[in-house]
């Protein structure tokens, strides 16, 4: 069994992590579908284990201007959930969330940000409920935050607590879409070192749980 | 830690935890998308040697010091940058030092690490004071990301945020 030198995480744990996050993501998207009344499907799920130094690649470059919906993971383990979208895609998301024709939204005011926050709330809650049910951990989302800024500045700030313990980053890239609208963005799930430690420590318990 | 001689490369980016030093007047040293991190810039105007450190965390612990990328910590990065500047011909007493970054990007969120920006600013100021290095210019705090560019030829440090004009510090 191979082991990552920097993290001590075995391939089997990575595989379980990928499966767990994949299932949680699908449920989160399902919750989002219910919220907006539109069928949304996950078109790509990709677990990445990358050096933290290369994290900017995940968001198209450190200076890339993006809309980030952030939800922190608290409770039995900690981490970060981020939905990262280019500005024009975020406008399209707001149109979808508010039942408007595509192209209606052209700026993010209070109302539009509130819609995106609600999206973060639903996504985070469904995601963590699924993850909690599968692991026995009590996981809670922080109130969602919407930011428009350099994607790297946001991502690197969230990574600072991970960087104090690890040299590698576990990220799940997710792309989803609807039948008539393209939502090409990223759902990044970033567990802290604590999160992975909890997973490893409790792996025998996890083995009794259906993943 | 990396020293660049820059024969052809005109733009050098210091990624998370990296230190870059250059004496090529055509080169621009950069830290891109700086949030809670600090871009620490040092310049010797006589020798025309510039250095930049992309500091991520305020203070190391025992286990962190032995790691490959230990210069992500302020207390390690600052002495290393000073040493690298001297190795490239800079004189400590001539150094012009500027800092930018330390934002609180997640001001509305409540997880425990989000005062990292403030702690980074405090740590950088403390370590520089311990090294008897004066800060000659700064653009720190707030809740916006920054890109920091340092022009080696003239020592100018430029800071740009999304939607705002580039400003010199």
């Amino acid at each position: 069994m191979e082991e990552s030198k920097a993290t001590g995480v075995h391939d089997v744990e990575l595989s379980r992590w990928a499966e767990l996050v994949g299932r949680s993501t699908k449920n989160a998207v399902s919750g989002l579908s219910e919220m907006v009344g539109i069928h949304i499907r996950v078109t790509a799920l990709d677990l990445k284990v990358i050096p933290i130094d290369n994290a900017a690649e995940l968001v198209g470059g450190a200076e890339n201007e993006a809309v980030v919906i952030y939800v922190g993971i608290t409770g039995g383990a900690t981490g970060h959930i981020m939905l990262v979208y280019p500005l024009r895609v975020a406008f399209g998301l707001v149109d979808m969330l508010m039942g408007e024709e595509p192209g209606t939204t052209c700026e993010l005011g209070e109302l539009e940000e509130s819609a995106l926050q609600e999206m973060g709330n639903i996504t985070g809650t469904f995601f963590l409920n699924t993850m909690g049910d599968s692991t026995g951990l009590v996981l809670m989302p922080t109130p969602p935050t919407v930011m428009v800024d350099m994607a790297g500045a946001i991502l690197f700030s969230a990574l600072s607590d991970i960087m104090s313990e690890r040299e590698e980053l576990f990220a799940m890239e997710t792309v989803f879409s609807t039948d008539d609208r393209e939502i090409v963005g990223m759902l990044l799930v970033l567990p802290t070192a604590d999160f992975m430690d909890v997973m490893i420590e409790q792996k025998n318990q996890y083995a009794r749980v259906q993943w | 830690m990396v020293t660049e001689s820059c024969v052809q490369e005109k733009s050098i980016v210091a990624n998370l935890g990296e230190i870059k030093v250059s004496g090529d007047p055509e080169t621009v040293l950069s830290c891109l998308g700086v949030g809670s991190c600090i871009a620490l810039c040092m310049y010797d105007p006589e020798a025309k040697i510039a250095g930049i450190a992309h500091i991520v965390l305020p203070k190391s612990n025992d286990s962190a010091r032995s790691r490959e990328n230990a210069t992500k910590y302020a207390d390690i990065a600052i002495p290393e940058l000073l040493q690298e500047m001297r190795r490239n011909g800079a004189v400590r007493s001539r150094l012009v030092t500027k800092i930018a970054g330390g934002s609180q990007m997640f001001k509305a969120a409540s997880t425990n690490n989000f005062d990292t920006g403030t702690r980074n600013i405090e740590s950088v100021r403390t370590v520089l004071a311990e090294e008897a290095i004066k800060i000659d210019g700064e653009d720190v705090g707030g809740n916006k990301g920054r890109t920091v560019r340092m022009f080696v030829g003239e020592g100018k440090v430029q800071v740009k945020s999304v939607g705002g004009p580039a400003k010199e510090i």
Side-chain angles (χ1 to χ4, degrees), chain A residues 81-95:
Chain A
I81 298 172
M82 291 187 194
L83 293 148
V84 184
Y85 298 100
L87 208 50
R88 64 170 182 78
V89 176
F91 292 160
L93 266 176
V94 173
D95 288 338

Side-chain angles (χ1 to χ4, degrees), chain B residues 24-108:
Chain B
D24 179 350
E26 302 294 316
T27 290
V28 179
L29 303 178
S30 305
C31 290
L32 309 179
V34 176
S36 60
C37 301
I38 300 276
L40 167 63
C41 306
M42 288 184 173
Y43 188 66
D44 179 339
E46 273 190 39
K48 296 197 182 298
I49 302 294
I52 196 165
H54 193 150
I55 294 167
V56 183
L57 291 161
K59 194 164 172 48
S60 63
N61 54 31
D62 286 341
S63 68
R65 285 186 196 106
S66 60
R67 288 197 190 153
E68 194 180 324
N69 193 15
T71 47
K72 62 190 169 196
Y73 297 97
D75 59 328
I76 294 177
I78 292 171
E80 284 284 349
L81 177 58
L82 284 167
Q83 193 174 11
E84 196 62 17
M85 293 289 289
R86 191 185 64 217
R87 202 174 288 148
N88 280 268
V91 174
R92 187 186 181 103
S93 61
R94 297 197 298 245
L95 291 178
V96 177
T97 300
K98 298 178 180 180
I99 61 173
S103 287
Q104 191 182 0
M105 300 299 294
F106 298 88
K107 62 177 180 178

Side-chain angles (χ1 to χ4, degrees), chain A residues 4-82:
Chain A
S4 166
K5 190 178 175 184
T7 61
V9 175
H10 293 280
D11 281 353
V12 66
E13 270 87 30
L14 277 181
S15 169
R16 286 176 174 177
W17 172 252
E19 189 184 341
L20 178 59
V21 173
R23 187 192 305 171
S24 302
T25 301
K26 284 172 183 166
N27 279 357
V29 170
S30 172
L32 200 57
S33 284
E34 283 180 34
M35 172 192 169
V36 295
I38 295 172
H39 177 62
I40 303 172
R41 62 184 178 278
V42 177
T43 51
L45 270 176
D46 184 16
L47 176 71
K48 294 196 167 187
V49 184
I50 61 169
I52 284 186
D53 293 352
N54 299 342
E57 292 171 9
L58 290 171
V59 291
E63 283 190 291
N64 185 30
E65 186 179 355
V67 177
V68 178
I69 307 167
Y70 173 84
V71 178
I73 304 171
T74 63
T78 59
H80 314 279
I81 298 172
M82 291 187 194

Side-chain angles (χ1 to χ4, degrees), chain A residues 67-128:
Chain A
V67 177
V68 178
I69 307 167
Y70 173 84
V71 178
I73 304 171
T74 63
T78 59
H80 314 279
I81 298 172
M82 291 187 194
L83 293 148
V84 184
Y85 298 100
L87 208 50
R88 64 170 182 78
V89 176
F91 292 160
L93 266 176
V94 173
D95 288 338
M96 184 184 80
L97 294 167
M98 297 177 71
E100 302 283 2
E101 286 297 314
T104 304
T105 301
C106 54
E107 63 178 0
L108 292 184
E110 200 173 323
L111 187 65
E112 291 79 10
E113 282 198 11
S114 176
L116 292 175
Q117 281 176 342
E118 188 54 21
M119 178 181 167
N121 199 24
I122 297 286
T123 306
T125 301
F126 271 74
F127 186 94
L128 293 180

